[in-house]
Amino acid sequence: MAPVIIVLIILVVLVFIALIKTIQVIPQASAAIVERFGRYTRTLNAGLNIVVPFIDTIRNRIDLREQVVPFPPQPVITQDNLVVNIDTVIYYQVTDARAATYEVASYIQAIEQLTVTTLRNIIGGMDLERTLTSREEINAALRGVLDEATGKWGIRVNRVELKAIEPPTSIQDSMEKQMRADRDKRAAILQAEGVRQSEILRAEGEKQSQILRAEGEAKAAALRAEGEAQAVRTVFEAIHAGDPDQKLLSYQYLQMLPKIAEGDANKLWIVPSEIGDALKGLSGAMGNFGGLGGGSGNSGAGASVPAQERREKPPID
């Protein structure tokens, strides 16, 4: 009985192992390469798959998702003989599991070496300044070459990114000095332009102020002259409306004489020729007023007036 039990146990174990090898569960976004007696048979897709145990074997399981592979810095010589270190990142995806397994031994290593050689070809035709400012151009050129070369390997390169471009330390110091000088130059130019614009605005303001002041003074002078002219016209019209006689004019002449003589600087003043006629008219008026008073009183007083006029007349002339 004991040998029979042992044989049964062995058979159960073999059946269990056969079931395990027969049923293959492939995860989503994955694929498996099946070989029969060392020859490719088929590719297992995601899900439950049945294979022949002990005859079919799983050669390789491949992840079909997009992969990200960073490569270490690579020294590259530019067109102006400067060595720069460039870090790259490759985004790729396996599209054909069979080709990725049988067409290339190690597609990761192949992509890395292809990236290095392609970078050297691209950067070798650019100087340092263009290399630092043409990342998009370098990425596009590198992606085109890699995608074309890796297509037969069942690999699709989706993106290529340059993580860093590091020139030599001496070049970095020179670039920093140049950038600092450029910033100082731009700051000085901006400051000079600001001062110039400020002076222009100040001059424009002063000019506009003087123009407005001159216009105001001209308008004020015009209004002042117009007011004086209006005053003269009003006085003239009032005088003509009142119809003054010679006596009133003579009296006005006499009132203006003290105003003419006002001031310490007036050493010499000229009496108009009409003042004599005015005084004669005024004296005649006063004589007539005296004659009227003498008729009502003493006749001797009336006779004395002409004598007084004769005495006062010469100083007046």
Side-chain angles (χ1 to χ4, degrees):
M1 292 295 296
V4 174
I5 295 174
I6 294 174
V7 171
L8 290 175
I9 293 174
I10 294 173
L11 290 175
V12 170
V13 171
L14 291 176
V15 170
F16 182 74
I17 294 175
L19 290 175
I20 292 176
K21 289 184 172 292
T22 301
I23 300 173
Q24 296 290 331
V25 178
I26 306 301
Q28 183 66 34
S30 298
I33 302 299
V34 178
E35 292 181 350
R36 180 172 296 175
F37 301 115
R39 184 176 180 181
Y40 170 77
T41 303
R42 59 192 175 118
T43 301
L44 301 181
N45 296 321
L48 183 64
N49 296 273
I50 304 298
V51 297
V52 178
F54 305 108
I55 297 177
D56 295 339
T57 58
I58 304 299
R59 165 67 184 275
N60 191 13
R61 295 178 183 267
I62 298 176
D63 193 346
L64 301 180
R65 295 174 297 179
E66 185 174 7
Q67 304 292 323
V68 181
V69 179
F71 295 144
Q74 300 294 330
V76 182
I77 300 176
T78 62
Q79 188 178 12
D80 45 359
N81 296 324
L82 293 175
V83 179
V84 294
N85 293 323
I86 300 179
D87 295 350
T88 55
V89 178
I90 304 297
Y91 297 81
Y92 74 93
Q93 185 177 10
V94 177
T95 58
D96 187 354
R98 178 182 176 279
T101 302
Y102 297 105
E103 295 295 335
V104 61
S106 174
Y107 55 83
I108 297 296
Q109 185 177 1
I111 291 175
E112 180 180 2
Q113 296 301 321
L114 183 59
T115 301
V116 172
T117 55
T118 306
L119 266 179
R120 289 176 178 173
N121 292 333
I122 296 173
I123 301 301
M126 298 181 178
D127 55 7
L128 178 61
E129 184 176 359
R130 185 182 174 188
T131 302
L132 296 175
T133 58
S134 303
R135 290 197 176 191
E136 293 296 332
E137 182 181 353
I138 297 173
N139 292 339
L142 188 58
R143 179 184 177 277
V145 174
L146 290 177
D147 195 18
E148 181 181 0
T150 58
K152 62 181 180 179
W153 300 338
I155 307 295
R156 183 178 65 231
V157 177
N158 296 326
R159 294 183 62 185
V160 178
E161 295 291 339
L162 301 183
K163 290 176 58 178
I165 300 176
E166 298 180 358
T169 305
S170 59
I171 301 300
Q172 292 182 7
D173 295 338
S174 301
M175 292 172 61
E176 290 179 359
K177 292 179 181 179
Q178 182 179 1
M179 293 175 61
R180 191 179 301 111
D182 291 339
R183 286 195 297 267
D184 295 340
K185 178 182 177 182
R186 287 195 298 268
I189 292 174
L190 292 176
Q191 184 177 1
E193 290 180 354
V195 173
R196 174 176 172 270
Q197 190 68 21
S198 175
E199 295 294 335
I200 291 174
L201 293 176
R202 187 180 296 109
E204 290 290 338
E206 293 178 356
K207 176 183 176 182
Q208 191 68 20
S209 176
Q210 293 177 359
I211 292 174
L212 293 176
R213 190 181 299 111
E215 291 179 354
E217 292 177 355
K219 291 181 179 179
L223 293 175
R224 194 181 301 112
E226 184 178 355
E228 293 177 356
Q230 184 66 29
V232 171
R233 283 195 299 269
T234 303
V235 173
F236 183 76
E237 291 175 358
I239 291 174
H240 281 275
D243 193 14
D245 55 1
Q246 187 65 28
K247 298 175 184 180
L248 180 59
L249 295 177
S250 301
Y251 180 70
Q252 292 294 331
Y253 273 126
L254 291 176
Q255 284 184 338
M256 291 298 297
L257 286 177
K259 294 182 179 180
I260 296 174
E262 287 180 357
D264 298 335
N266 294 331
K267 304 299 183 182
L268 177 64
W269 51 281
I270 300 173
V271 178
S273 60
E274 292 83 359
I275 194 64
D277 297 335
L279 293 176
K280 289 179 182 180
L282 182 59
S283 61
M286 293 181 65
N288 293 332
F289 180 75
L292 292 175
S296 62
N298 191 2
S299 61
S304 64
V305 173
Q308 184 177 0
E309 290 178 356
R310 287 192 299 270
R311 289 193 302 268
E312 294 176 355
K313 188 174 183 180
I316 296 175
D317 292 334

